[in-house]
Amino acid sequence: MTFSKALADKDYETLRTMPKSDLHNHATRGGNIRDFFDDVDLPKRDFTNLDEMQQWYDANIKYKFSGQEGFIARVESAFKQAQHDGIRRLALSFGIGDSIHFASLEAYFMAIRQLHQTIAPEIDFIPELCLGRTSNIEPVQDMFDEVIEYDFFKSIDLVGDDRDSVANYKSIYRKAKSKGIILKAHLGEFGDAESVRKGVDVLELDEVQHGIAAATSIEVKNWLRTNDVQLNICPSSNVMLNRVPSYEIHPIKELFHHGIKVTINSDDMLIFDQSVTQDYINLFESGCMSANDLNTVRETGLLLR
C-alpha cells in the first residue's frame, strides 16, 4: 500500500510503519510521555510563548529526570519513539550542557552513539549541535572550537528568541560549513518573514527550523525557493504555541504550493504529544493538504541534501 492510499483509507497503523523523517527534534524532549507516566493526566497544553511552555515542562515533566540517568532515559525514549513511528532519517538536537553528567565530552558522545546503535541502528541518525542565542559569544566560540574536533555533530541549530539578530554567530557557522555540517537555525516561528531571509542570508543556512512567517511575504517565499532553502516545520508545535490558529489553515500549505521544500517534524513530542505520523494525519483530516501532497512532503524529508 502507498503512503497516499494509507492516508486516504485512514489506515493509520500502516501509515505509522512507512518511512518518514524527523529533522526538527530536541533530543531530551523527543520521547513518548507514556514511557514515563502510567496515567497521562496533565494540565492542558495551552501556551502563548516559549516561557509558558518551559514553565509547563518544568512543573509537569522535567522534575522526573535528573543527572546522567535522566538524560539517558529521555534520549533512549526519543530513539524508541522514532523507531516506533517509522522514522528513517532522524536529526536529534543536543546541547553541550548535558555533558556535565559525563566524565568527558568523549564519554557524552559515546553514550549517545551507543543508544543509537543499541535501540535503532537502522535509523539514519544525524546528531545536531544545539546552540542558544546569546550576546556573549566568546564562550560559545571556545566551546564550539573544542566540540567540533570530535567530528560527532553532522548538523548545527540555533535556538532562542528568533527575533534576535544572528550576525554574531557568523564565524561559528562559517567553521561549521567548512566541516560539511548541515546549517540550521530557528527562524520565523515568532519573528517575521524578513527575519527568515536575513537569518538564512547571514548564516548561509541550508535549512530553517519552523520558518512559517515566510508565508506572509511573496518576496521571501520567492527568495527561499530560488535559494533551495528547506523549512523543517512542526505543525502541532505551531498550533499549541498559538502561532497558527488551526491545522486547517496552517501556512505549510501555502509554502508547499509556492514550491518551497518543507518537511513535517515533531519538535518536542514529550511536551506536545503528537508524533510525526499524527501530524500527517492532522493536516490531512483538517483538509489542509491532500494525501498526494503530503506524500511529496514525506519524500522530501527522506532525501539527502
Side-chain angles (χ1 to χ4, degrees), residues 54-70:
Q54 185 63 46
Q55 290 167 9
W56 186 94
Y57 176 69
D58 290 345
N60 296 288
I61 298 176
K62 191 175 181 180
Y63 74 89
K64 191 175 181 71
F65 306 99
S66 63
Q68 183 182 122
E69 182 178 352

Side-chain angles (χ1 to χ4, degrees), residues 131-135 137 141 157-174 184-188 194-205 208:
L131 302 178
R133 282 172 166 85
T134 179
S135 58
I137 196 67
Q141 289 174 321
D157 183 25
L158 184 60
V159 301
D161 190 333
D162 64 8
R163 291 164 291 193
D164 293 342
S165 171
V166 299
N168 58 339
Y169 282 82
K170 188 171 181 177
S171 65
I172 290 175
Y173 271 69
R174 292 296 179 276
K184 305 181 186 180
H186 277 57
L187 297 167
E194 185 58 20
S195 71
V196 177
R197 188 197 63 78
K198 287 182 178 178
V200 172
D201 192 33
V202 169
L203 298 181
E204 299 182 17
L205 300 180
V208 170

Side-chain angles (χ1 to χ4, degrees), residues 90 128 150 166 191 203 207 259 265-266:
L90 175 65
E128 185 167 283
Y150 286 88
V166 299
L203 298 181
E207 303 175 12
N265 310 274
S266 64

Side-chain angles (χ1 to χ4, degrees), residues 34 42 53 62 82 102 116 119 149 166 183 191 212 217 224:
R34 290 158 192 81
L42 296 171
M53 184 191 77
K62 191 175 181 180
F102 296 82
H116 170 225
I119 299 167
E149 294 304 316
V166 299
L183 308 182
I212 56 174
S217 168
L224 291 172

